[in-house]
């Protein structure tokens, strides 16, 4: 059975390799670059529009490897860590950029042409991609987090969303809206385990309750009252007002639930705004309201800042052609091109001031100001309630966090399904995290 | 990368001595050599990595680790849970497939209208890819909101069950059993068909009922086929991965993490090649222990 499958897979791989190379003519002056990217909507558009780039640059051919986020991450991480040089352009998050830049794995993005207008990049986003004063990747789109809610359900329940809601208020709203017999769930949140899935949201919640991942001596601070408050809140609100099967809902599953009208509220990435507002993709496009991410007992801490960026690995053999492509795909011209092809509501958000200054964009995207403010106040390098030795909003910017976050994510998902109590889960998470940190040799001298 | 636990199951069998006396055996040497290299090189590399500090994300830590990776593995509570889950999954699926497979084999041996169509339908799940069947079960059947089971529960006014959250391991066992039942059925059905009808006739004449016939005639006749089913299924079930990866990702908590998934998460979620290789070596040892016992017991049966 297994062998049959792998046989098919290799056949498919060979086939795709043949098809992939068939298009590239092997003339001398030509270079073919391989771009690895995520199968998110905005990147699929980039793949489609790359024919425009090839027309402008007849000497560069672009080959695409489009994969699901987790698989992509495995492929590019393995490739860059082993210096295999399969890819010339990689789509990586602001989590990887500073870590990889420090290892010397990425090509610095300096001496950009004046037309590129580096100053136009939103400051918090550009800062996240800077290591020792140099940019190491260019942002393709960026996001923070906010609260989505259904205006019609709020009206029906006779409540109004606060200007800046607190978590206590959110809980009251959720209780009032929930109508389980009619499959309306007051609060949808991510529950699927993963450092970039449930732990992204849980980390912001923990920050809001005055908690953090590590203290200044790199000791995990998971088994603490702040975490207990946060996880108890998270488990309780989902038990009382959440949809069934929440422990297997990631961003995409929750988006589908909200877009099909099953959710009263949802706290998640700002990138969902454009999708929920799009009549083609959402059944509730005319009933979506926005509010900032709720606050807990500690305000002003780091919240959420994520960007997908294009970087060039040091192992690439086509660095110049790769740079030409990366600057094109993150330029103002590219934003204008997407607007021309798919309309302004579909442009990649969160990267450039010029996008937010554009009157046409403001006209079709009422959430634009919200997103810009959320990114502006993400404060991902800021301090938590107690001082912390790491940076990052909804993640910890150390190489070990992928493993730690995913493992703790599994443990927290076990609380949602009632497999363990909050206390047990925090104890387990504290123990497993401390083990990994010891194995990795923290505190590093 | 870590060798799969299914590899090297032949480690327990002796080389064929009969062939060595024939001159033709020299001609197969090259292909045997290629196969050996195919197997030995990854195995040796896995063992080598398992004694080294090797994390893809942090090149600053490297060098010889001694037994560090192994101690780190056995002191991990997840490791023991994964061993337990591997065994529970194996035994449960074997019991279900062999038990139901035997009953269905006897049933499909009876003449009834549409028997051939029913046989094809019963065997078809085996031809669905593991990832696809896992997705089918996850989204079409078991999803609490869109799934068939949930919709049925709703019509009767019951609360739909969130299978993968409340009964994660049982759900995975169900899916894997559904995939492997046709295999057991196929082998056992051919065995039932080869049963001597005169024996059964004689038993019937002596006044044995249907149940007695099954237990004293059919079951002993099937014992060889059953042991073959158990052996082949065991080899595959020790390394179940796709179904877990697609449905629960080893969770919630560590409820469905088996050894194969633990190795995967070490290697490709934590990028700890050293730790994953240590897990791989343990998996190979475990698979070989099981294989030696199985091969011996099957060989004994086949000699009879």
């Amino acid at each position: 059975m297994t062998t049959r499958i792998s046989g098919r897979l290799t056949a498919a791989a060979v086939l795709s390799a043949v098809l992939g190379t068939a298009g590239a003519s092997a003339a001398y002056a030509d270079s073919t670059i391989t771009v690895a990217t995520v199968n998110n909507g905005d990147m699929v558009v980039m793949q489609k529009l790359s024919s425009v780039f090839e027309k402008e640059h007849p000497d560069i051919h672009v080959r695409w490897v489009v994969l699901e986020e987790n698989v992509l991450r495995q492929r590019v991480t393995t490739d860059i860590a082993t210096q295999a040089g399969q890819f010339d352009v990689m789509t990586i998050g602001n989590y990887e950029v500073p870590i990889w830049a420090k290892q010397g794995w990425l090509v610095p993005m300096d001496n950009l042409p004046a037309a590129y207008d580096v100053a136009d990049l939103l400051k918090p986003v550009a800062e996240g991609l800077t290591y020792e004063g140099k940019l190491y990747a260019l942002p393709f789109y960026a996001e923070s987090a906010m609260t989505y809610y259904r205006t019609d359900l709020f009206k029906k329940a006779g409540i109004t969303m606060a200007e800046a809601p607190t978590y206590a208020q959110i809980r009251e709203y959720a209780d009032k809206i929930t109508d389980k017999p009619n499959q309306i769930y007051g609060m949808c949140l991510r529950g699927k385990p993963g450092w970039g899935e449930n732990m992204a949201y849980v980390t912001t919640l923990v920050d809001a309750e005055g908690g953090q991942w590590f203290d200044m001596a790199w000791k995990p601070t998971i088994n603490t009252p702040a975490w207990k408050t946060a996880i108890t809140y998270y488990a309780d609100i989902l038990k009382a007002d959440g949809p069934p099967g929440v422990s297997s809902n990631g961003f995409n599953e929750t988006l589908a639930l909200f877009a099909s009208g099953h959710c009263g509220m949802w706290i998640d990435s700002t990138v969902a705004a454009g999708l929920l507002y799009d009549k083609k993709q959402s059944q509730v496009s005319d009933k979506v309201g926005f509010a900032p991410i709720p606050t807990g007992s500690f305000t002003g801490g780091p919240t959420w800042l994520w960007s997908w960026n294009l970087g060039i690995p040091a192992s690439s053999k086509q660095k110049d052609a790769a740079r030409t492509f990366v600057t094109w795909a993150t330029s103002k011209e590219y934003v204008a091109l997407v607007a021309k092809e798919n309309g302004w509501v579909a442009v990649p958000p969160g990267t450039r001031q010029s996008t937010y200054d554009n009157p046409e964009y403001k006209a079709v995207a009422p959430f634009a100001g919200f997103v810009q403010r959320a990114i502006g106040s993400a404060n991902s390098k800021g301090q938590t309630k107690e001082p912390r030795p790491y940076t990052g909003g909804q993640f910890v910017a150390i190489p070990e966090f992928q493993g730690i976050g995913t493992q703790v994510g599994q443990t927290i998902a076990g609380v949602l399904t009632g497999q363990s109590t909050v206390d047990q889960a925090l104890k387990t998470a504290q123990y497993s995290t401390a083990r990994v940190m010891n194995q990795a040799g923290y505190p590093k001298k | 990368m870590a060798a799969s636990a299914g590899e090297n199951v032949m480690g327990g069998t002796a080389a064929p001595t009969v062939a060595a006396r024939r001159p033709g055996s020299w001609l197969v040497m090259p292909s045997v050599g290629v196969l050996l290299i195919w197997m030995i090189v990854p195995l040796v590399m896995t063992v080598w990595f398992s004694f080294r500090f090797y994390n893809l994300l942090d090149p600053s830590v490297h060098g010889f680790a001694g037994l560090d990776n192994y101690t780190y593995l056995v002191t991990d509570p997840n490791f023991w849970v994964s061993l337990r889950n591997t065994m529970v999954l194996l035994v449960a699926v074997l019991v279900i497939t062999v038990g139901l497979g035997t009953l269905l084999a006897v049933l499909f041996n009876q003449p009834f209208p549409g028997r051939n169509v029913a046989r094809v339908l019963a065997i078809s799940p085996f031809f669905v890819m593991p990832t696809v069947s896992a997705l089918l079960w996850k989204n079409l059947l078991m999803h609490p909101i869109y799934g068939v089971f949930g919709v049925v529960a709703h019509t009767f006014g019951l609360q739909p069950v969130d299978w993968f959250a409340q009964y994660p391991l049982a759900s995975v066992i169900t899916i894997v059993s559904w995939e492997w039942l046709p295999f057991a059925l196929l082998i056992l059905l051919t065995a039932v068909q080869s049963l001597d009808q005169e024996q059964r006739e004689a038993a019937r004449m002596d006044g044995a009922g249907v149940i007695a016939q099954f237990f004293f005639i059919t079951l002993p006749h099937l014992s060889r086929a059953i042991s073959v089913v158990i052996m082949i299924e065991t080899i595959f079930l020790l390394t179940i991965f796709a179904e877990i990866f697609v449905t629960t990702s080893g969770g919630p908590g560590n409820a469905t993490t088996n050894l194969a998934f633990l190795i995967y998460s070490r290697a490709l979620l934590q990028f700890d090649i050293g730790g994953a290789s240590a897990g791989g070596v343990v998996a190979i040892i475990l698979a070989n222990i099981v294989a030696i016992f199985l091969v011996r017991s099957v060989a004994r049966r086949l000699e009879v």
Side-chain angles (χ1 to χ4, degrees), chain B residues 222-241:
Chain B
L222 286 180
S223 68
R224 237 184 240 189
I226 288 178
S227 56
V228 169
V229 169
I230 290 180
M231 181 173 96
I232 294 180
E233 279 195 18
T234 302
I235 290 166
F236 283 100
L237 293 176
L238 277 174
T239 58
I240 286 289
F241 172 79

Side-chain angles (χ1 to χ4, degrees), chain A residues 169-183:
Chain A
Q169 286 172 313
I170 292 282
R171 177 65 207 260
E172 284 168 27
Y173 301 151
D175 287 349
K176 283 197 177 116
I177 301 172
T178 302
D179 178 7
K180 285 191 178 174
N182 290 320
Q183 296 194 322

Side-chain angles (χ1 to χ4, degrees), chain A residues 148-161 173 176-179 182-186 257-266 276 282-290:
Chain A
Y148 301 95
Y149 68 98
R150 284 270 301 280
T151 48
D152 58 326
L153 296 177
F154 268 61
K155 205 171 274 160
K156 204 172 104 189
I159 42 180
T160 39
M161 174 65 84
Y173 301 151
K176 283 197 177 116
I177 301 172
T178 302
D179 178 7
N182 290 320
Q183 296 194 322
I184 301 284
Y185 305 101
L257 274 179
F258 197 103
S260 59
H262 286 295
C263 300
M265 281 184 288
W266 179 30
L276 291 175
S282 152
Q283 299 167 18
V284 292
S285 57
D286 52 346
K287 311 185 188 76
V288 186
F290 311 101

Side-chain angles (χ1 to χ4, degrees), chain B:
Chain B
M1 198 62 14
S4 76
E7 187 175 314
N8 192 21
V9 277
M10 296 310 290
T13 55
T17 45
V18 187
R21 272 179 249 132
R22 292 202 206 111
S25 65
W26 295 105
L27 296 174
V28 297
M29 276 303 184
S31 56
V32 172
V34 168
L35 281 175
L36 271 181
I37 291 171
W38 209 264
M39 192 185 84
I40 297 279
V41 170
L43 186 69
V44 169
M45 283 180 79
T46 305
V47 174
W48 165 245
F49 285 144
S50 75
F51 290 109
R52 296 189 63 80
F53 286 119
Y54 183 16
N55 189 311
L56 285 182
L57 295 174
D58 197 351
S60 66
V61 182
H62 56 85
F64 196 65
L67 287 173
D68 222 47
N69 286 325
Y70 289 93
T71 47
Y72 186 64
L73 184 74
V74 294
T75 52
D76 184 355
N78 281 335
F79 170 71
W80 299 101
V81 173
S82 76
L83 276 188
R84 193 196 66 200
N85 288 340
T86 308
M87 286 301 151
V88 170
L89 187 68
L90 174 71
V91 174
V93 174
L94 282 179
V95 169
I96 293 171
T97 51
V98 172
L100 278 179
T102 313
L103 291 179
L104 285 175
V106 174
L107 181 74
F108 280 115
N109 199 33
Q110 313 297 332
F112 60 86
R115 183 172 71 166
N116 287 345
V117 177
R119 276 184 189 174
V120 171
L121 285 177
I123 286 160
S124 56
F126 192 56
F127 300 102
V128 182
M129 287 199 273
T131 38
V132 175
S133 50
L135 276 176
L136 282 177
W137 278 83
K138 182 186 179 180
N139 293 328
L140 286 178
L141 296 171
M142 287 177 161
H143 194 286
I145 294 179
Y146 319 113
V148 173
F149 298 164
V151 172
V152 169
H154 253 290
T155 17
F156 289 107
L158 300 167
Q159 197 54 25
V161 178
D162 182 5
W163 294 96
F164 289 110
Q166 287 164 343
Y167 312 106
L169 194 54
S171 306
V172 172
I173 288 171
T174 308
I175 297 172
V176 178
S177 302
W178 179 80
E179 286 175 344
W180 283 92
L181 184 59
F183 172 78
L185 171 62
L186 205 57
I187 292 187
L188 295 173
L189 184 59
T190 46
V192 170
Q193 284 169 335
S194 71
L195 180 59
D196 190 2
Q197 289 304 319
E198 286 181 12
Q199 266 190 15
R200 293 183 56 180
E201 202 61 26
R204 212 169 50 84
M205 300 280 277
D206 288 343
V210 179
I211 303 211
Q213 274 179 44
F214 174 77
F215 276 103
F216 292 99
I217 308 276
T218 316
L219 211 51
H221 174 77
L222 286 180
S223 68
R224 237 184 240 189
I226 288 178
S227 56
V228 169
V229 169
I230 290 180
M231 181 173 96
I232 294 180
E233 279 195 18
T234 302
I235 290 166
F236 283 100
L237 293 176
L238 277 174
T239 58
I240 286 289
F241 172 79
E243 294 82 353
I244 295 172
F245 176 75
V246 169
T247 55
T248 60
S249 303
N254 50 16
T256 51
T257 300
N258 68 349
L259 201 50
F261 197 87
L262 185 84
I263 293 167
Y264 157 81
S265 74
R266 273 286 148 74
L268 285 173
L269 298 177
Q270 301 167 34
F271 299 100
D272 177 6
I273 307 297
S277 303
V281 171
V282 170
I284 293 167
I285 292 168
L286 184 80
N288 274 290
I289 292 172
V290 175
I292 289 168
F293 276 110
L294 278 172
V295 170
R296 283 213 178 148
S297 71
V298 171
R300 257 207 305 277
R301 278 195 187 285
L302 296 183
E303 277 164 12
V304 175

Side-chain angles (χ1 to χ4, degrees), chain A residues 277-309:
Chain A
Y277 231 76
D278 186 350
K279 283 183 189 56
K280 284 189 287 255
Q281 303 182 61
S282 152
Q283 299 167 18
V284 292
S285 57
D286 52 346
K287 311 185 188 76
V288 186
F290 311 101
I293 189 168
T295 51
S297 59
F298 173 72
T299 49
T303 55
W304 179 307
L305 180 65
W306 181 259
S307 58
W308 278 116
N309 319 285

Side-chain angles (χ1 to χ4, degrees), chain A residues 35-51 62 64-69 72-73 89-94 138-143 271 275 306-310 325 328-330 334 338 342 346-349 351:
Chain A
V35 182
T37 196
V38 199
N39 62 352
N40 290 359
D42 289 300
M43 285 72 166
V44 175
V45 171
M46 165 168 65
Q47 185 189 0
K48 264 216 289 283
L49 295 177
S50 67
S51 57
V62 187
W64 289 89
V65 177
V66 184
L67 297 164
E68 192 263 332
E69 184 174 330
L72 172 95
R73 201 166 262 128
V89 176
M90 289 181 174
T91 308
I92 45 183
N94 52 338
L138 298 176
F140 181 67
Y141 77 71
E143 59 182 53
V271 88
L275 306 166
W306 181 259
S307 58
W308 278 116
N309 319 285
L310 300 174
F325 177 80
W328 172 82
T330 57
Y334 177 81
V338 177
N342 300 344
V347 301
T351 53

